[in-house]
Amino acid sequence: MKSRPIKVAAAVAAAALLLTGCSNGGGTGGGDAAGGLSIDVPEVPMLESLGEGEGQVNIVAWSGFVEPAWSDAFTAETGCTVNRRVAGTSDEMVQLMRTGDYDLVSASGDASLRLIVGGDVAPINLELVPNFGDDIVEGMKGQVYDTINGKSYGVPIGRGANILQYNTEVVTETPDSWSIVWEEDSPYAGKVIAYDAPIYIADAAVYLMSTKPELGITNPYALDETQLAAAIDLLKTQNGIVSEYWADPAAQITSFVGGTTVAGTSWEVLRKLTEDPKFESVLPKEGSTGWSDAWMISSQSKNPNCAYLWMNYTSSPEVNGAIAMNFGMAPANAAFCDTSAEAKEHCDYYHATDEEYFKNVWFWTTPVEQCVDGRTDVTCTNFQQWTEAWLTVK
């Protein structure tokens, strides 16, 4: 679900996933994946040992993830030239990876399962990525969206929450709930901004988990047909109080700064980029959705050795931290936070090592027919169904 401007990205994907099997874990939030999923996926071999670098590596990445400041140093160190292709959405990333022309992708959770189930990416031998160690934050290991059948398919890069941003000059009482952007009697009706993508259905589901427990939603990405219908009804209600929808973060910033919007969904980096103290943000009591990005290696990689060298290089505290600061997110390598006062300030702002904070964040996970909440007595709705349902909202 990502389309990231400036330093960020969100994506609309429309491919259905038909998965079978049973989940080995649900959890109370996005940070508790209980070791990923158990589902049927294509058998793709994992690289067993590193050889000589092939001289290049071809990467599909979000803007801000692969910059000369560190790619040139990587080339000097390894002899592997970095060829970057910037993608604007997760859907574009999936399509590019399926061409077989790229070795690596910086995939978000709304793309990961599609790539794994399609046989487009290979399991990762973490022993060949020594910088993936104790300093990688626990909340980015073994997640549902990139750990399948006990195998890791992703090397974490960074994460962030979808938070409630508000204009303190208008919203004078600090909100603690998403109710001000979901309820039709909101005092800010007509000044609410919402995210424009099918995955935003999960945000409605998060709110319903708290306000309508009788629906039985325990994971916002595991919705049966009744639960999906309830989320769509809520989104249609919200449509009546929305001033505009955003997919381009630059447009979201413009909406807040221009006064069209006074409350709505945001990212921590966007609130920071407004550079105006009247804009504040909060992670509401109901929790929120969020995103987590990871390097994934193509099952057709022509340069697997250079690809592994890149994943290890960018997992070091210094480089992973540089990517996180450039992009505007919490780094995966917590050791970065102790490298300088500036690094500590960045980590504090983005809650880098605050697992209690991220326990209330449900990271984007592609909705699939196999219920990721562990239910086996129903079939859950997949992303194709979400995409079709989203078209009815506006």
Side-chain angles (χ1 to χ4, degrees):
M1 143 188 182
K2 285 155 108 178
S3 165
R4 304 183 185 180
I6 319 174
K7 298 182 177 178
V8 230
V12 178
L17 287 180
L18 307 178
L19 305 188
T20 58
C22 34
S23 170
N24 66 357
T28 57
D32 181 9
L37 292 174
S38 292
I39 57 177
D40 293 331
V41 298
E43 281 292 330
V44 178
M46 180 177 69
L47 190 68
E48 296 297 333
S49 61
L50 278 180
E52 290 294 320
E54 300 85 359
Q56 67 173 347
V57 60
N58 301 305
I59 305 175
V60 177
W62 299 120
S63 176
F65 274 47
V66 182
E67 300 298 320
W70 44 87
S71 60
D72 289 350
F74 170 76
T75 300
E77 179 181 313
T78 65
C80 300
T81 299
V82 178
N83 303 311
R84 179 192 67 168
R85 169 73 178 266
V86 173
T89 67
S90 290
D91 193 51
E92 182 184 0
M93 286 186 168
V94 171
Q95 296 305 315
L96 288 172
M97 287 299 288
R98 287 177 175 167
T99 67
D101 295 334
Y102 299 92
D103 304 295
L104 287 172
V105 62
S106 61
S108 297
D110 59 328
S112 303
L113 283 180
R114 286 186 285 159
L115 291 168
I116 296 170
V117 172
D120 303 301
V121 292
I124 292 174
N125 186 341
L126 294 176
E127 292 184 0
L128 304 182
V129 188
N131 282 329
F132 183 99
D134 294 338
D135 291 325
I136 300 298
V137 294
E138 287 302 316
M140 295 188 72
K141 296 178 180 179
Q143 296 295 303
V144 167
Y145 46 79
D146 64 10
T147 303
I148 305 297
N149 303 332
K151 298 179 180 179
S152 175
Y153 286 79
V155 173
I157 307 168
R159 59 182 172 173
N162 297 321
I163 44 112
L164 172 60
Q165 182 173 313
Y166 59 98
N167 183 334
T168 59
E169 292 182 352
V170 181
V171 185
T172 55
E173 189 171 326
T174 303
D176 67 351
S177 170
W178 284 108
S179 61
I180 64 170
V181 302
W182 286 113
E183 301 297 339
E184 58 185 338
D185 61 352
S186 168
Y188 312 109
K191 292 282 189 176
V192 170
I193 196 167
Y195 195 77
D196 191 1
I199 203 71
Y200 186 59
I201 293 170
D203 292 69
V206 168
Y207 187 63
L208 290 173
M209 287 169 64
S210 175
T211 58
K212 291 192 174 181
E214 65 271 19
L215 287 169
I217 300 173
T218 60
N219 185 308
Y221 305 102
L223 304 181
D224 58 35
E225 290 187 358
T226 299
Q227 294 165 339
L228 176 61
I232 293 301
D233 285 344
L234 178 59
L235 285 158
K236 289 179 177 178
T237 296
Q238 185 195 48
N239 177 259
I241 65 171
V242 165
S243 56
E244 60 183 289
Y245 292 86
W246 69 278
D248 178 356
Q252 190 265 12
I253 291 174
T254 299
S255 185
F256 267 98
V257 173
T260 303
T261 292
V262 300
T265 304
S266 185
W267 298 327
E268 290 153 325
V269 67
L270 300 187
R271 197 260 287 183
K272 194 171 188 178
L273 288 171
T274 59
E275 299 181 336
D276 190 328
K278 72 183 177 187
F279 298 113
E280 290 290 346
S281 62
V282 64
L283 181 66
K285 61 186 179 183
E286 297 90 358
S288 76
T289 59
W291 45 269
S292 180
D293 295 335
W295 298 116
M296 304 185 85
I297 186 169
S298 171
S299 57
Q300 305 176 65
S301 174
K302 301 176 181 64
N303 308 290
N305 295 296
C306 281
Y308 266 86
L309 290 171
W310 174 264
M311 288 190 289
N312 187 57
Y313 173 78
T314 54
S315 295
S316 69
E318 297 77 13
V319 181
N320 179 248
I323 294 172
M325 291 190 72
N326 187 55
F327 189 77
M329 62 181 173
N333 194 321
F336 165 72
C337 302
D338 297 323
T339 59
S340 69
E342 184 183 20
K344 184 180 185 307
E345 181 181 356
H346 177 90
C347 289
D348 288 346
Y349 180 83
Y350 290 100
H351 310 277
T353 59
D354 187 353
E355 293 303 331
E356 285 301 310
Y357 178 87
F358 282 109
K359 276 184 179 179
N360 295 316
V361 177
W362 296 86
F363 294 110
W364 290 342
T365 302
T366 308
V368 295
E369 291 189 354
Q370 187 250 288
C371 298
V372 297
D373 62 1
R375 287 181 293 169
T376 58
D377 58 337
V378 296
T379 298
C380 280
T381 51
N382 60 42
F383 204 38
Q384 180 63 38
Q385 291 169 285
W386 281 39
T387 301
E388 293 169 355
W390 175 251
L391 294 175
T392 71
V393 170
K394 297 188 297 178

